[in-house]
Amino acid sequence: MTATAPTDVRPDPTGTGQGDDHASLAGFGYRQELHRSMGRYASFAAGFSFISVLTTVFQFFAFGFSFGGAAFFWTWPAVLVGQLLVAACFAELAARYPLSGAIYQWATRLSTPAFGWFAGWIMVIGQIVVVAAAALALQVVLPAIWSGFQLVGGDPAPTTATGAANAAILAVVLLALTTTVNLLDNKVMSAVNRVGVTAEIIGAVLIVVLLLTHTERTPGVTLHTGGQGGALGALLIGSFTAAYVLIGFDSAGEMSEETRSPRRTAPRTILLALASAGVLGGLLVLAGILAAPDLADGRLATEGLSYVLTSSLGDGVGRILLADVAVAVAVATLAIQTAGSRMLFSMARDGVLPFSSRLAKVSPRTGMPAAPALLVGAAAAALGLLNLASPEAFLAIGTTCIAMLYLAYAMVTGPMLLRRLRRLPLSPATGPLHDETGKPLFSLGRWGLPVNALAFAYGVVMTVNLAWPRAAVYDPAGGHWYFQWFTVLFLAATVLLGAAYRVYARRSPSVR
């Protein structure tokens, strides 16, 4: 590690925050290489577009309903509360450590370099898997807009062989486009994010309003579990939908080195991105359940919200709204790929990854780290092509990425909790006491310990729930034990590969 303790940050009389932002970064031992051009809305867009309620709700609604029935709606507020606890902890850290590679940087500074390295390693692998999962979501939307998007013919449902194969093709095309944008320029990437998020918010609000004007039943239906299995098991599995949607809010902190006045901006936008996405997503789920033509015909459990839109609102309006969802999928894939590339860049500039010198290189012209963007895009495309092997890969990829991010989050809230219990400061005594405007840094105050404890406990429980090898979830057709254990095996392989690299790197420093 080359970082040093930061110095206090004085209010910037110019109002730009640029001078103090650069000085703050230098206090950690880093040069300003990424272009600092993002304002508050762009920071919010970074977190919101990673969450992308339209992408993720449309992608996983059918799965949640198939297991939990209408009552799976109640898993939404439960997961939202849990994630808000985590986000509150992250907001404190974003104010104290406004650095790219947020999870890696925070875990390292709260614990040890080795522990922080594994947190960053798990997080970046998880982000690559999330990129693949987000790109695969195009299959849920595009064929419902126009049958011509089903390039391989056959049934477009993602759980069928033809649907899975087509999803892989669409995902690779999308990843080629998002990688290109990630190579262009920081301002271009930020502009695409802002426009996409604005369109997504407008589209989500329109969908909620229109569906609520076409309701077929009352909210009381959400008290009936239905779905597969017993009530508790069904709801635990049904919570996967909310768990998958409500991740990535830390991206607002991930982009701190490209954000003006990050100590003030990032904590607010982390919380705002999660809260607004949580409310919108919950309303989407509820509106979809209430407006579905029939809860018992099986279509809601296989076709999800796309079926509700086209059936309740008509093909014309439904397809227009689905086009907005397709835009959200593309922007979400871009945002997640950007976050993953920043994690790789942050770790590489500390010299702790293979080929660090190349991965840490930033183009002076574009302000973008090109090699990490290419690596994340190529790795995500390779994962997406697993869909060609089996339809079960779609669900395995989706649930694995959630479990990995939840584990990485717990690797931050855990050391943070230990520091609180030991009455140690969250940042060095020489660190800043105020944000760029001279106001005290965001802090949970006396609520810090209980919020942190609950956030850590929630993260551990959800990680176990997501990774549990349920045959009914991961291998419904039977005969594929490796899919049933896919999440556990992938996590184990990630840790073992990371450990092997660290042992090899210690013996052969030249690999960096």
Side-chain angles (χ1 to χ4, degrees):
M1 292 290 295
T2 58
T4 59
T7 56
D8 201 359
V9 180
R10 299 185 303 274
D12 177 18
T14 68
T16 66
Q18 293 287 346
D20 282 342
D21 292 342
H22 292 3
S24 175
L25 186 57
F28 289 105
Y30 299 126
R31 292 185 298 112
Q32 182 71 52
E33 296 181 276
L34 304 173
H35 291 180
R36 198 177 288 275
S37 60
M38 295 173 59
R40 184 179 300 177
Y41 188 69
S43 177
F44 163 80
F48 190 93
S49 55
F50 192 124
I51 299 171
S52 187
V53 290
L54 286 185
T55 300
T56 46
V57 171
F58 271 79
Q59 189 174 10
F60 263 68
F61 181 96
F63 174 81
F65 183 83
S66 69
F67 278 95
F72 101 97
F73 163 76
W74 294 106
T75 64
W76 193 276
V79 171
L80 176 58
V81 170
Q83 289 294 69
L84 281 171
L85 295 172
V86 177
C89 294
F90 286 4
E92 279 195 307
L93 296 174
R96 289 155 179 78
Y97 302 106
L99 299 167
S100 289
I103 298 298
Y104 159 69
Q105 296 284 357
W106 297 341
T108 297
R109 287 167 167 75
L110 292 171
S111 56
T112 65
F115 186 86
W117 187 92
F118 274 101
W121 175 249
I122 291 170
M123 183 67 182
V124 76
I125 299 299
Q127 286 172 322
I128 291 171
V129 183
V130 177
V131 175
L136 289 170
L138 273 184
Q139 182 63 24
V140 182
V141 182
L142 289 186
I145 297 174
W146 177 48
S147 59
F149 285 118
Q150 184 61 28
L151 303 175
V152 301
D155 191 338
T159 53
T160 64
T162 52
N166 199 69
I169 295 171
L170 295 177
V172 170
V173 172
L174 175 57
L175 286 167
L177 293 174
T178 57
T179 301
T180 301
V181 174
N182 256 309
L183 296 175
L184 290 176
D185 185 83
N186 171 280
K187 292 182 179 179
V188 173
M189 179 273 298
S190 179
V192 172
N193 250 350
R194 293 196 305 272
V195 172
V197 164
T198 302
E200 180 172 4
I201 292 173
I202 293 172
V205 171
L206 278 174
I207 290 172
V208 169
V209 171
L210 289 173
L211 289 182
L212 289 179
T213 61
H214 291 75
T215 57
E216 299 287 340
R217 56 197 60 84
T218 67
V221 72
T222 59
L223 299 177
H224 304 288
T225 306
Q228 306 175 36
L232 179 59
L235 290 177
L236 285 174
I237 299 172
S239 68
F240 284 20
T241 299
Y244 180 67
V245 176
L246 301 176
I247 55 173
F249 46 87
D250 53 293
S251 290
E254 193 74 61
M255 306 298 289
S256 287
E257 291 182 33
E258 294 156 84
T259 303
R260 296 187 292 271
S261 303
R263 295 185 189 275
R264 174 187 59 182
T265 301
R268 297 180 182 182
T269 51
I270 285 173
L271 292 168
L272 181 60
L274 177 60
S276 55
V279 171
L280 263 180
L283 290 174
L284 273 172
V285 170
L286 179 61
I289 292 171
L290 299 185
D294 193 332
L295 298 183
D297 64 0
R299 295 188 65 183
L300 193 58
T302 56
E303 301 175 46
L305 281 182
S306 298
Y307 153 67
V308 180
L309 282 190
T310 54
S311 299
S312 300
L313 305 179
D315 280 349
V317 175
R319 288 177 180 175
I320 291 173
L321 293 173
L322 284 175
D324 187 65
V325 177
V327 172
V329 172
V331 174
T333 305
L334 170 66
I336 302 165
Q337 184 178 3
T338 302
S341 66
R342 297 306 183 268
M343 179 68 73
L344 279 176
F345 160 75
S346 182
M347 296 180 73
R349 70 178 171 186
D350 283 347
V352 297
L353 289 177
F355 311 107
S356 285
S357 59
R358 295 181 184 178
L359 292 172
K361 187 176 181 180
V362 176
S363 167
R365 181 180 62 83
T366 65
M368 305 285 271
L374 288 169
L375 179 57
V376 173
L383 279 172
L385 290 176
L386 287 176
N387 251 36
L388 294 174
S390 174
E392 281 80 8
F394 178 82
L395 184 57
I397 290 171
T399 51
T400 296
C401 69
I402 319 171
M404 294 191 72
L405 263 64
Y406 266 79
L407 177 58
Y409 288 175
M411 293 177 75
V412 172
T413 56
M416 190 179 188
L417 177 60
L418 284 177
R419 292 189 72 87
R420 290 189 191 277
L421 292 172
R422 294 172 179 172
R423 299 185 182 278
L424 297 174
L426 296 181
S427 55
T430 55
L433 303 175
H434 304 88
D435 65 19
E436 295 85 356
T437 65
K439 295 180 181 179
L441 295 178
F442 177 89
S443 175
L444 294 173
R446 63 180 181 177
W447 292 100
L449 181 58
V451 167
N452 198 164
L454 290 171
F456 176 64
Y458 162 78
V460 171
V461 170
M462 280 301 296
T463 301
V464 173
N465 179 39
L466 291 163
W468 200 264
R470 301 176 177 92
V473 176
Y474 299 110
D475 187 24
H480 301 89
W481 65 269
Y482 44 87
F483 277 126
Q484 180 179 344
W485 291 87
F486 187 88
T487 299
V488 175
L489 292 172
F490 196 94
L491 280 170
T494 298
V495 173
L496 289 174
L497 182 61
Y501 165 72
R502 287 183 63 83
V503 171
Y504 179 63
R506 281 197 296 268
R507 295 178 179 177
S508 307
S510 60
V511 298
R512 298 177 184 175

